[in-house]
Amino acid sequence: MLTAETIQTAYKKMGYDAVAVSNNDLTAGEDFFKNSMKNNFPWVSANVFSTSGKLLFNPFIIKQIGDIKVGVIGLTGSGKYKNDEIVIGGWQDSLPLQMENLISQTDMIILLSNLTSDQNNAIAKVFPELDVIVTAHKKQGNVPPFVLGDTLVTQTQGRGKYIGRLSMHYQPGKKWSDTVHETLSVSNLSLIH
């Protein structure tokens, strides 16, 4: 519990706008999440439900950044997590409705996901409206940005020990260019005209 509270405090101090719920996070328990949500901690997950079928977290947040409305949605992987009071649903059932809501309200959509690479790749193919997928698969480590269809996919090293910076030049309605430049800690991306 101390670890979970310390990580949450650090994220708040760093100014995180959204944090996806992972199956490991769920081990902190219901009381931890109730308290953190009372304090407006920005947990997001579109596929974590109570046994009655109620979403336990906000599925997404919408953030106004300059002239751009950015939607950030979270997906939780099931892993080996077991709890009789919590159901981690499949993305195939949860994501379509939430994407429909986001597409109509935003200019850009970012998915925070701790699903497997195969699942994230399938999502990118099914939802070309996703602009960016930031993954959190702990076995992969650092994943330099790459373009999959119309979606940019990337990941920083896991467990909150490393921070990555992703700089994007956004132009509405444009596709990612094939040139993705990576430096030590900054990735610069651009959209083609």
Side-chain angles (χ1 to χ4, degrees):
M1 188 60 75
L2 180 61
T3 300
E5 289 172 354
T6 303
I7 290 170
Q8 180 179 288
T9 300
Y11 285 175
K12 276 190 100 164
K13 286 186 183 267
M14 287 188 277
Y16 274 51
D17 293 310
V19 178
V21 179
S22 78
N23 54 353
N24 291 335
D25 293 327
L26 291 172
T27 59
E30 189 177 344
D31 289 340
F32 169 76
F33 286 107
K34 282 182 181 175
N35 289 334
S36 65
M37 289 190 292
K38 281 181 192 172
N39 294 321
N40 296 318
F41 192 77
W43 294 110
V44 290
S45 180
N47 66 324
V48 176
F49 301 90
S50 67
T51 53
S52 66
K54 181 184 178 216
L55 274 172
L56 294 180
F57 301 95
N58 291 325
F60 59 79
I61 60 107
I62 297 176
K63 177 103 175 150
Q64 185 78 36
I65 302 174
D67 295 333
I68 302 169
K69 279 190 179 177
V70 178
V72 182
I73 187 167
L75 283 176
T76 303
S78 58
K80 295 178 182 176
Y81 181 76
K82 286 275 193 199
N83 182 321
D84 293 337
E85 297 175 13
I86 295 176
V87 177
I88 301 174
W91 66 266
Q92 300 90 334
D93 298 322
S94 304
L95 197 54
L97 173 64
Q98 302 305 334
M99 284 296 292
E100 189 176 311
N101 291 331
L102 279 173
I103 289 167
S104 64
Q105 298 181 61
T106 60
D107 303 305
M108 175 182 240
I109 302 173
I110 299 170
L111 169 63
L112 304 178
S113 169
N114 78 322
L115 302 177
T116 66
S117 295
D118 290 342
Q119 290 171 313
N120 290 322
N121 293 347
I123 290 168
K125 290 175 186 170
V126 172
F127 296 102
E129 302 88 356
L130 276 170
D131 295 289
V132 179
I133 298 177
V134 180
T135 64
H137 193 273
K138 64 182 179 182
K139 292 183 180 178
Q140 286 183 306
N142 205 36
V143 177
F146 65 93
V147 177
L148 181 62
D150 292 335
T151 306
L152 179 78
V153 182
T154 192
Q155 173 176 307
T156 60
Q157 190 76 358
R159 308 187 77 126
K161 294 179 181 179
Y162 303 88
I163 296 176
R165 177 178 168 186
L166 183 64
S167 298
M168 298 176 283
H169 302 282
Y170 178 76
Q171 296 176 12
K174 304 295 181 183
K175 306 283 185 203
W176 294 111
S177 71
D178 291 334
T179 56
V180 177
H181 306 285
E182 183 186 4
T183 61
L184 291 175
S185 61
V186 180
S187 300
N188 298 308
L189 308 166
S190 61
L191 297 166
I192 58 174
H193 297 279

